[in-house]
Amino acid sequence: MKLNRFHVTCLLCALLAFPVTALAERADRDQPVNIEADRVTVDDRSKTHTFEGNVILTQGSLSIRGERLVVMQGADGFETGIATGGQDGLARFRQRREGLDEYVEGEAVRIEYDTRSEQAKLFERAKVRSGGDEVRGDYIEYDALTEQYAARSQRSAGSDGRVRAVIQPRGGN
């Protein structure tokens, strides 16, 4: 059976709507945030902190690594962070899954994380792994509250415009 563009689009939407279970460790949000870097610049007026040089952020089981991390705090106390590439050009995050001895891991040229919505957005050369499952694309959005991913790619010089996913079979008895 030959699939036309409409059928492929419907199939892709159905696959992306299927949740990949990877709920983040809930206790992390109550832990202090620790950040190490070679340099830091603080702008108290705009509540912006810029960390540069081998940056490592940890909060409970959450860890974010990159060459640069900009953290902005809103008036409501929630923070948004933007991490950009390390030595290989990629920033990385890792967080334990709730109630399991497994981790969600991701990497991309740029990672944005919002503590209010508990969403991570990964831009360029993006990859997220959970257990044996893996999703790759130019852009991945991971929502820890709804346990869902959305991934997109676009045709460009270095990309064929395809999202790639590996979903492991689940044993069910």
Side-chain angles (χ1 to χ4, degrees), residues 68-106:
R68 186 168 195 254
L69 173 66
V70 178
V71 178
M72 296 148 289
Q73 185 176 39
D76 57 5
F78 287 98
E79 296 170 337
T80 301
I82 301 172
T84 51
Q87 290 182 354
D88 61 359
L90 299 174
R92 292 179 168 74
F93 82 90
R94 184 174 198 247
Q95 188 169 29
R96 184 187 322 269
R97 291 179 56 193
E98 179 70 24
L100 298 172
D101 193 23
E102 291 182 10
Y103 287 82
V104 175
E105 300 176 320

Side-chain angles (χ1 to χ4, degrees), residues 8-74:
V8 171
T9 302
C10 289
L11 179 60
L12 181 60
C13 288
L15 286 173
L16 291 178
F18 182 78
V20 179
T21 305
L23 188 62
E25 184 88 297
R26 292 287 181 218
D28 287 349
R29 72 176 78 149
D30 298 325
Q31 301 296 317
V33 174
N34 298 292
I35 304 174
E36 297 177 26
D38 294 337
R39 294 170 302 286
V40 64
T41 305
V42 177
D43 182 341
D44 277 335
R45 181 171 290 165
S46 69
K47 299 213 183 308
T48 301
H49 298 71
T50 303
F51 301 88
E52 296 178 296
N54 193 26
V55 180
I56 303 169
L57 175 148
T58 57
Q59 183 180 24
S61 73
L62 173 67
S63 120
I64 298 175
R65 296 173 179 262
E67 185 56 29
R68 186 168 195 254
L69 173 66
V70 178
V71 178
M72 296 148 289
Q73 185 176 39

Side-chain angles (χ1 to χ4, degrees), residues 8-20 135-136 139-141 146-153 163-165 167:
V8 171
T9 302
C10 289
L11 179 60
L12 181 60
C13 288
L15 286 173
L16 291 178
F18 182 78
V20 179
V135 177
R136 292 175 182 250
Y139 171 80
I140 299 173
E141 188 171 309
T146 64
E147 305 178 40
Q148 293 185 357
Y149 295 84
R152 293 187 295 260
S153 279
V163 171
R164 305 268 189 298
I167 301 170

Side-chain angles (χ1 to χ4, degrees), residues 113-124:
Y113 188 80
D114 185 331
T115 61
R116 173 189 291 284
S117 65
E118 294 190 41
Q119 289 185 341
K121 296 177 181 178
L122 293 81
F123 299 86
E124 296 182 60

